[in-house]
Amino acid sequence: MVSVTRAVFGDLPLGAGTVEKFQLQSDQLRVDIISWGCTITALEVKDRQGRASDVVLGFDELEGYLQKQPYFGAVVGRVANRIAKGTFMLDGKEYKLAINNGPNSLHGGVKGFDKVLWTPRVLSNGVEFSRVSPDGEEGYPGELKVWVTYTLDGGELVVNYRAQASQTTPVNLTNHSYFNLAGQGSPNIYDHEVTIEADAFLPVNEVLIPTGEIASVQGTAFDLRKPVELGKHLQEFHVNGFDHNFCLKGSKEKRFCARVYHAGSGRVLEVYTTQPGVQFYTGNFLDGTLKGKSGAVYPKHSGFCLETQSWPDAVNQFPPILPNKVHCASQFKMNTKCGY
Protein backbone atom coordinates (compact mmCIF):
# COMPACT_ATOMS: atom_id res chain seq x y z
CA MET A 1 0.00 0.00 0.00
CA VAL A 2 1.36 3.41 -1.00
CA SER A 3 0.13 6.75 0.27
CA VAL A 4 0.59 9.96 -1.73
CA THR A 5 0.29 13.35 -0.03
CA ARG A 6 0.60 16.82 -1.54
CA ALA A 7 1.73 20.07 0.12
CA VAL A 8 3.18 23.48 -0.74
CA PHE A 9 7.00 23.49 -0.61
CA GLY A 10 7.54 27.17 -1.39
CA ASP A 11 6.90 30.05 -3.76
CA LEU A 12 9.20 31.07 -6.59
CA PRO A 13 10.47 34.69 -6.65
CA LEU A 14 8.55 37.38 -8.56
CA GLY A 15 5.32 35.39 -8.52
CA ALA A 16 6.71 32.80 -10.93
CA GLY A 17 4.68 30.00 -9.38
CA THR A 18 4.22 27.69 -6.40
CA VAL A 19 6.44 24.65 -5.91
CA GLU A 20 4.66 21.62 -4.49
CA LYS A 21 6.02 18.62 -2.60
CA PHE A 22 4.69 15.10 -3.10
CA GLN A 23 5.40 12.52 -0.44
CA LEU A 24 5.21 8.86 -1.46
CA GLN A 25 5.23 6.37 1.40
CA SER A 26 5.23 2.58 1.60
CA ASP A 27 6.05 0.27 4.47
CA GLN A 28 9.74 0.38 3.41
CA LEU A 29 10.45 3.79 1.85
CA ARG A 30 9.44 7.43 2.11
CA VAL A 31 10.24 9.64 -0.85
CA ASP A 32 9.73 13.41 -1.17
CA ILE A 33 9.69 14.93 -4.68
CA ILE A 34 9.10 18.57 -5.61
CA SER A 35 7.73 20.03 -8.83
CA TRP A 36 10.84 22.24 -9.27
CA GLY A 37 13.08 20.13 -11.49
CA CYS A 38 11.19 16.90 -10.58
CA THR A 39 13.65 16.86 -7.68
CA ILE A 40 13.94 14.08 -5.11
CA THR A 41 14.48 16.03 -1.87
CA ALA A 42 14.39 13.11 0.57
CA LEU A 43 14.53 9.31 0.52
CA GLU A 44 14.10 7.75 3.93
CA VAL A 45 14.87 4.07 4.57
CA LYS A 46 15.46 2.02 7.70
CA ASP A 47 18.73 0.41 8.73
CA ARG A 48 18.99 -3.13 10.11
CA GLN A 49 17.98 -1.86 13.56
CA GLY A 50 14.84 -0.30 12.12
CA ARG A 51 16.10 3.29 12.41
CA ALA A 52 15.13 5.46 9.46
CA SER A 53 17.56 7.89 7.83
CA ASP A 54 17.39 10.15 4.81
CA VAL A 55 19.97 8.86 2.30
CA VAL A 56 19.97 11.62 -0.35
CA LEU A 57 21.76 14.98 -0.22
CA GLY A 58 19.75 18.17 -0.58
CA PHE A 59 18.16 21.14 1.18
CA ASP A 60 15.39 21.77 3.71
CA GLU A 61 13.99 24.81 1.90
CA LEU A 62 13.21 25.81 -1.69
CA GLU A 63 15.84 28.57 -1.55
CA GLY A 64 18.56 25.93 -1.43
CA TYR A 65 17.45 24.48 -4.76
CA LEU A 66 17.22 27.91 -6.40
CA GLN A 67 20.86 28.77 -5.66
CA LYS A 68 23.84 27.54 -7.66
CA GLN A 69 24.15 23.89 -6.61
CA PRO A 70 25.21 20.59 -8.20
CA TYR A 71 21.83 19.28 -9.42
CA PHE A 72 20.92 17.59 -6.11
CA GLY A 73 18.11 15.10 -6.81
CA ALA A 74 16.96 16.75 -10.04
CA VAL A 75 15.95 15.46 -13.45
CA VAL A 76 18.47 16.86 -15.92
CA GLY A 77 17.97 17.48 -19.64
CA ARG A 78 17.26 18.11 -22.48
CA VAL A 79 20.61 16.31 -22.67
CA ALA A 80 22.21 15.00 -19.49
CA ASN A 81 26.00 14.94 -19.19
CA ARG A 82 28.45 16.81 -21.41
CA ILE A 83 28.36 17.87 -25.06
CA ALA A 84 31.83 18.82 -26.29
CA LYS A 85 32.27 22.54 -26.97
CA GLY A 86 28.48 22.93 -26.79
CA THR A 87 28.03 22.18 -30.48
CA PHE A 88 26.68 19.36 -32.62
CA MET A 89 25.64 18.71 -36.21
CA LEU A 90 22.19 17.34 -37.01
CA ASP A 91 20.74 16.86 -40.49
CA GLY A 92 23.54 19.00 -41.92
CA LYS A 93 22.98 21.95 -39.56
CA GLU A 94 25.24 23.08 -36.72
CA TYR A 95 23.61 23.84 -33.38
CA LYS A 96 25.29 25.94 -30.69
CA LEU A 97 24.37 25.45 -27.05
CA ALA A 98 25.05 27.39 -23.86
CA ILE A 99 28.55 26.75 -22.46
CA ASN A 100 28.28 26.16 -18.72
CA ASN A 101 31.00 23.66 -17.76
CA GLY A 102 34.48 24.73 -18.83
CA PRO A 103 34.39 24.60 -22.64
CA ASN A 104 31.36 22.29 -22.70
CA SER A 105 27.60 22.24 -22.29
CA LEU A 106 26.44 20.25 -19.26
CA HIS A 107 23.02 18.88 -18.24
CA GLY A 108 20.95 20.88 -20.72
CA GLY A 109 22.64 24.27 -20.39
CA VAL A 110 22.22 27.34 -18.22
CA LYS A 111 18.51 26.71 -17.59
CA GLY A 112 18.01 23.00 -18.01
CA PHE A 113 15.11 20.82 -16.93
CA ASP A 114 16.33 21.00 -13.33
CA LYS A 115 15.61 24.76 -13.20
CA VAL A 116 11.99 24.83 -14.35
CA LEU A 117 8.58 24.28 -12.75
CA TRP A 118 6.88 21.10 -13.94
CA THR A 119 3.14 20.37 -14.02
CA PRO A 120 2.21 17.56 -11.58
CA ARG A 121 -0.52 14.92 -11.73
CA VAL A 122 -1.12 12.69 -8.72
CA LEU A 123 -1.30 8.92 -9.35
CA SER A 124 -2.52 6.18 -7.04
CA ASN A 125 1.06 5.14 -6.18
CA GLY A 126 3.11 8.14 -7.28
CA VAL A 127 3.22 11.34 -9.29
CA GLU A 128 3.69 12.29 -12.94
CA PHE A 129 5.37 15.54 -13.97
CA SER A 130 5.14 17.02 -17.47
CA ARG A 131 6.34 20.04 -19.39
CA VAL A 132 6.84 21.28 -22.94
CA SER A 133 10.36 22.37 -23.85
CA PRO A 134 9.88 24.90 -26.66
CA ASP A 135 11.75 24.83 -29.96
CA GLY A 136 15.14 26.50 -29.46
CA GLU A 137 15.22 26.20 -25.66
CA GLU A 138 18.92 26.34 -24.62
CA GLY A 139 19.77 26.02 -28.33
CA TYR A 140 18.11 22.64 -28.96
CA PRO A 141 15.97 22.09 -32.07
CA GLY A 142 12.31 21.15 -31.98
CA GLU A 143 9.55 21.25 -29.42
CA LEU A 144 9.87 18.44 -26.88
CA LYS A 145 7.02 17.14 -24.71
CA VAL A 146 8.38 15.39 -21.62
CA TRP A 147 6.80 13.21 -18.93
CA VAL A 148 8.62 11.96 -15.82
CA THR A 149 6.80 9.50 -13.56
CA TYR A 150 7.79 8.42 -10.06
CA THR A 151 6.00 5.38 -8.63
CA LEU A 152 6.64 3.51 -5.40
CA ASP A 153 6.13 -0.21 -4.80
CA GLY A 154 7.40 -1.50 -1.45
CA GLY A 155 11.16 -0.89 -1.48
CA GLU A 156 11.30 0.04 -5.16
CA LEU A 157 11.16 3.54 -6.60
CA VAL A 158 10.61 3.47 -10.35
CA VAL A 159 11.41 6.52 -12.48
CA ASN A 160 10.07 6.46 -16.02
CA TYR A 161 11.04 9.06 -18.63
CA ARG A 162 9.13 9.68 -21.84
CA ALA A 163 9.65 12.34 -24.48
CA GLN A 164 8.12 13.18 -27.85
CA ALA A 165 9.83 15.58 -30.24
CA SER A 166 8.42 17.60 -33.13
CA GLN A 167 11.65 17.01 -35.07
CA THR A 168 14.92 15.13 -34.69
CA THR A 169 16.69 16.29 -31.53
CA PRO A 170 19.06 14.76 -29.01
CA VAL A 171 17.38 13.67 -25.76
CA ASN A 172 19.07 12.15 -22.73
CA LEU A 173 17.22 12.27 -19.42
CA THR A 174 18.37 11.08 -15.99
CA ASN A 175 18.00 11.70 -12.29
CA HIS A 176 20.93 13.29 -10.46
CA SER A 177 20.36 12.18 -6.88
CA TYR A 178 23.40 12.02 -4.60
CA PHE A 179 23.27 9.09 -2.17
CA ASN A 180 25.00 8.37 1.11
CA LEU A 181 23.65 5.13 2.56
CA ALA A 182 25.05 5.96 5.99
CA GLY A 183 22.63 8.90 5.97
CA GLN A 184 22.91 12.31 4.33
CA GLY A 185 25.40 14.48 6.21
CA SER A 186 27.77 11.57 6.85
CA PRO A 187 31.29 12.74 5.99
CA ASN A 188 32.16 10.36 3.13
CA ILE A 189 31.23 7.26 1.15
CA TYR A 190 34.53 5.40 1.56
CA ASP A 191 32.92 2.52 3.49
CA HIS A 192 30.40 1.81 0.71
CA GLU A 193 30.84 -1.37 -1.35
CA VAL A 194 30.19 -0.73 -5.05
CA THR A 195 29.39 -3.13 -7.89
CA ILE A 196 28.73 -2.06 -11.50
CA GLU A 197 27.94 -4.74 -14.06
CA ALA A 198 29.87 -3.31 -16.99
CA ASP A 199 32.66 -4.82 -19.08
CA ALA A 200 33.64 -1.48 -20.65
CA PHE A 201 33.84 2.22 -19.82
CA LEU A 202 34.54 5.46 -21.67
CA PRO A 203 37.93 7.07 -20.94
CA VAL A 204 37.76 10.88 -20.83
CA ASN A 205 40.06 13.80 -21.58
CA GLU A 206 41.04 16.61 -19.21
CA VAL A 207 37.62 18.30 -19.55
CA LEU A 208 35.74 15.00 -19.01
CA ILE A 209 34.68 14.45 -22.63
CA PRO A 210 34.99 10.84 -23.87
CA THR A 211 38.05 10.29 -26.04
CA GLY A 212 36.05 8.05 -28.40
CA GLU A 213 37.61 4.85 -27.09
CA ILE A 214 35.41 2.13 -25.60
CA ALA A 215 37.86 0.54 -23.16
CA SER A 216 37.75 -2.77 -21.32
CA VAL A 217 37.55 -2.47 -17.54
CA GLN A 218 39.75 -5.56 -17.13
CA GLY A 219 42.79 -4.84 -14.95
CA THR A 220 41.84 -1.21 -14.34
CA ALA A 221 40.32 0.87 -11.54
CA PHE A 222 37.07 0.70 -13.53
CA ASP A 223 36.62 -3.04 -13.00
CA LEU A 224 33.76 -2.93 -10.51
CA ARG A 225 32.15 -6.18 -11.60
CA LYS A 226 32.90 -7.61 -8.15
CA PRO A 227 32.22 -5.54 -5.01
CA VAL A 228 34.95 -3.11 -3.98
CA GLU A 229 35.13 -0.95 -0.86
CA LEU A 230 35.31 2.50 -2.38
CA GLY A 231 37.88 4.21 -0.14
CA LYS A 232 40.39 1.35 -0.32
CA HIS A 233 39.82 1.01 -4.07
CA LEU A 234 40.52 4.71 -4.74
CA GLN A 235 43.71 4.47 -2.68
CA GLU A 236 44.87 1.26 -4.34
CA PHE A 237 44.54 2.69 -7.85
CA HIS A 238 45.57 6.27 -6.92
CA VAL A 239 42.47 7.81 -8.46
CA ASN A 240 40.73 10.98 -7.33
CA GLY A 241 37.26 9.53 -7.79
CA PHE A 242 34.91 8.50 -10.56
CA ASP A 243 33.03 10.66 -13.06
CA HIS A 244 32.79 8.16 -15.89
CA ASN A 245 30.27 6.39 -18.08
CA PHE A 246 30.10 2.63 -17.71
CA CYS A 247 28.81 0.84 -20.81
CA LEU A 248 25.82 -1.39 -20.15
CA LYS A 249 23.89 -3.89 -22.18
CA GLY A 250 20.92 -1.66 -23.04
CA SER A 251 17.60 -3.41 -23.49
CA LYS A 252 13.87 -2.77 -23.66
CA GLU A 253 13.43 -4.50 -20.31
CA LYS A 254 15.00 -3.24 -17.09
CA ARG A 255 18.30 -4.98 -16.28
CA PHE A 256 20.46 -4.91 -13.18
CA CYS A 257 23.32 -2.43 -13.54
CA ALA A 258 24.67 -1.47 -10.11
CA ARG A 259 24.58 -2.30 -6.42
CA VAL A 260 25.91 -0.33 -3.45
CA TYR A 261 26.05 -1.83 0.04
CA HIS A 262 26.74 -0.04 3.32
CA ALA A 263 27.83 -2.61 5.90
CA GLY A 264 27.42 -0.26 8.86
CA SER A 265 23.69 0.20 8.32
CA GLY A 266 22.85 -2.85 6.21
CA ARG A 267 21.32 -0.62 3.55
CA VAL A 268 21.52 -1.73 -0.08
CA LEU A 269 20.80 0.28 -3.20
CA GLU A 270 20.24 -1.60 -6.45
CA VAL A 271 19.75 0.10 -9.79
CA TYR A 272 18.03 -1.41 -12.82
CA THR A 273 17.70 0.35 -16.15
CA THR A 274 16.85 0.08 -19.82
CA GLN A 275 19.56 2.62 -20.67
CA PRO A 276 22.91 1.83 -22.37
CA GLY A 277 25.05 3.61 -19.79
CA VAL A 278 25.41 4.68 -16.19
CA GLN A 279 27.53 7.62 -15.08
CA PHE A 280 29.14 6.77 -11.74
CA TYR A 281 30.07 10.01 -10.00
CA THR A 282 31.63 10.14 -6.53
CA GLY A 283 31.00 13.79 -5.69
CA ASN A 284 34.51 14.91 -6.65
CA PHE A 285 33.44 18.56 -6.99
CA LEU A 286 31.58 18.81 -3.68
CA ASP A 287 33.61 21.15 -1.47
CA GLY A 288 31.69 21.65 1.77
CA THR A 289 30.54 25.20 0.97
CA LEU A 290 26.81 24.40 0.67
CA LYS A 291 24.67 24.11 3.79
CA GLY A 292 22.40 21.12 3.35
CA LYS A 293 19.58 19.48 5.27
CA SER A 294 19.67 19.88 9.07
CA GLY A 295 22.77 22.07 8.70
CA ALA A 296 24.86 19.30 7.09
CA VAL A 297 27.84 20.20 4.93
CA TYR A 298 28.76 18.13 1.90
CA PRO A 299 32.52 17.77 1.40
CA LYS A 300 34.25 15.94 -1.44
CA HIS A 301 33.18 12.29 -1.71
CA SER A 302 30.23 12.71 0.67
CA GLY A 303 27.74 11.37 -1.87
CA PHE A 304 27.61 9.30 -5.06
CA CYS A 305 25.42 9.35 -8.18
CA LEU A 306 24.40 6.52 -10.48
CA GLU A 307 22.99 8.39 -13.48
CA THR A 308 21.42 5.95 -15.94
CA GLN A 309 21.59 7.51 -19.39
CA SER A 310 22.84 7.46 -22.94
CA TRP A 311 26.57 7.94 -23.36
CA PRO A 312 28.17 11.39 -22.89
CA ASP A 313 28.67 13.47 -26.04
CA ALA A 314 26.73 10.79 -27.94
CA VAL A 315 25.39 13.34 -30.43
CA ASN A 316 28.97 13.93 -31.62
CA GLN A 317 30.66 10.58 -31.07
CA PHE A 318 28.25 7.67 -30.75
CA PRO A 319 25.52 8.10 -33.41
CA PRO A 320 23.98 4.63 -32.95
CA ILE A 321 22.43 5.75 -29.63
CA LEU A 322 20.86 8.97 -30.88
CA PRO A 323 17.14 8.99 -30.06
CA ASN A 324 14.65 8.72 -32.88
CA LYS A 325 12.43 11.48 -34.16
CA VAL A 326 9.37 10.88 -32.05
CA HIS A 327 10.31 9.81 -28.58
CA CYS A 328 12.99 8.68 -26.14
CA ALA A 329 12.13 6.43 -23.22
CA SER A 330 13.99 4.98 -20.29
CA GLN A 331 13.17 3.50 -16.94
CA PHE A 332 15.19 3.67 -13.74
CA LYS A 333 14.43 1.58 -10.67
CA MET A 334 15.99 2.12 -7.26
CA ASN A 335 15.62 -0.84 -4.94
CA THR A 336 16.62 -0.02 -1.39
CA LYS A 337 16.38 -2.80 1.17
CA CYS A 338 17.79 -3.86 4.50
CA GLY A 339 20.21 -6.75 4.66
CA TYR A 340 23.37 -8.02 6.33
Side-chain angles (χ1 to χ4, degrees):
M1 186 70 183
V2 174
S3 66
V4 182
T5 57
R6 183 176 193 167
V8 171
F9 189 68
D11 291 312
L12 294 172
L14 306 174
T18 297
V19 176
E20 293 184 282
K21 180 179 79 173
F22 299 84
Q23 185 169 100
L24 319 183
Q25 186 152 7
S26 70
D27 57 345
Q28 297 179 51
L29 288 181
R30 194 204 85 197
V31 188
D32 292 351
I33 308 153
I34 60 173
S35 53
W36 180 256
C38 304
T39 300
I40 295 173
T41 60
L43 196 163
E44 203 168 86
V45 61
K46 294 175 182 177
D47 65 10
R48 63 165 62 92
Q49 270 80 44
R51 296 171 302 205
S53 291
D54 183 0
V55 298
V56 294
L57 281 56
F59 304 101
D60 290 318
E61 308 289 341
L62 176 59
E63 288 70 26
Y65 293 100
L66 300 181
Q67 67 183 323
K68 182 175 172 57
Q69 50 93 6
Y71 308 95
F72 285 143
V75 165
V76 291
R78 183 175 299 196
V79 174
N81 219 307
R82 294 170 178 86
I83 293 180
K85 300 178 182 176
T87 64
F88 62 91
M89 295 288 294
L90 197 57
D91 295 336
K93 181 178 177 180
E94 183 181 35
Y95 291 90
K96 294 183 182 296
L97 311 173
I99 304 297
N100 65 331
N101 182 253
N104 307 313
S105 184
L106 175 68
H107 293 330
V110 174
K111 189 179 180 182
F113 288 3
D114 61 299
K115 298 179 181 68
V116 294
L117 189 61
W118 293 63
T119 300
R121 182 171 70 92
V122 173
L123 309 174
S124 61
N125 62 339
V127 59
E128 178 193 79
F129 298 99
S130 62
R131 77 175 297 255
V132 177
S133 173
D135 182 16
E137 184 174 58
E138 294 298 304
Y140 288 97
E143 179 186 271
L144 188 74
K145 296 176 181 176
V146 190
W147 298 265
V148 178
T149 306
Y150 293 88
T151 52
L152 188 58
D153 180 10
E156 298 178 357
L157 176 66
V158 178
V159 189
N160 188 70
Y161 311 93
R162 195 160 53 94
Q164 183 172 329
S166 63
Q167 66 185 84
T168 305
T169 188
V171 180
N172 187 19
L173 305 174
T174 193
N175 180 278
H176 209 296
S177 288
Y178 289 70
F179 298 92
N180 187 317
L181 300 186
Q184 73 86 26
S186 300
N188 60 62
I189 50 172
Y190 298 143
D191 59 352
H192 289 47
E193 289 183 8
V194 179
T195 309
I196 299 179
E197 193 158 288
D199 297 329
F201 76 104
L202 299 183
V204 294
N205 63 19
E206 66 281 357
V207 292
L208 301 177
I209 294 293
T211 62
E213 178 188 6
I214 301 171
S216 170
V217 300
Q218 185 72 37
T220 73
F222 301 89
D223 193 347
L224 305 178
R225 292 172 293 185
K226 294 181 179 178
V228 302
E229 188 173 319
L230 190 59
K232 291 178 181 177
H233 188 76
L234 295 178
Q235 282 188 326
E236 179 185 349
F237 284 92
H238 305 288
V239 293
N240 181 50
F242 292 96
D243 193 1
H244 296 79
N245 178 81
F246 287 75
C247 306
L248 307 175
K249 297 177 177 72
S251 69
K252 290 184 179 180
E253 301 299 319
K254 294 187 299 292
R255 297 171 59 111
F256 170 78
C257 85
R259 181 178 189 269
V260 182
Y261 171 58
H262 181 249
S265 65
R267 295 188 183 99
V268 181
L269 170 69
E270 292 180 339
V271 180
Y272 299 77
T273 186
T274 60
Q275 290 281 53
V278 60
Q279 186 87 2
F280 179 40
Y281 174 50
T282 50
N284 311 330
F285 296 111
L286 297 176
D287 60 8
T289 58
L290 292 171
K291 186 176 180 181
K293 288 180 278 191
S294 303
V297 293
Y298 301 132
K300 181 180 179 180
H301 297 161
S302 60
F304 68 90
C305 304
L306 287 163
E307 306 159 59
T308 55
Q309 58 189 258
S310 293
W311 296 357
D313 201 32
V315 71
N316 289 313
Q317 298 195 49
F318 306 107
I321 63 168
L322 265 175
N324 62 33
K325 289 186 179 182
V326 291
H327 88 287
C328 165
S330 69
Q331 197 167 33
F332 179 40
K333 181 169 71 173
M334 290 185 287
N335 182 351
T336 311
K337 57 188 178 183
C338 297
Y340 289 86

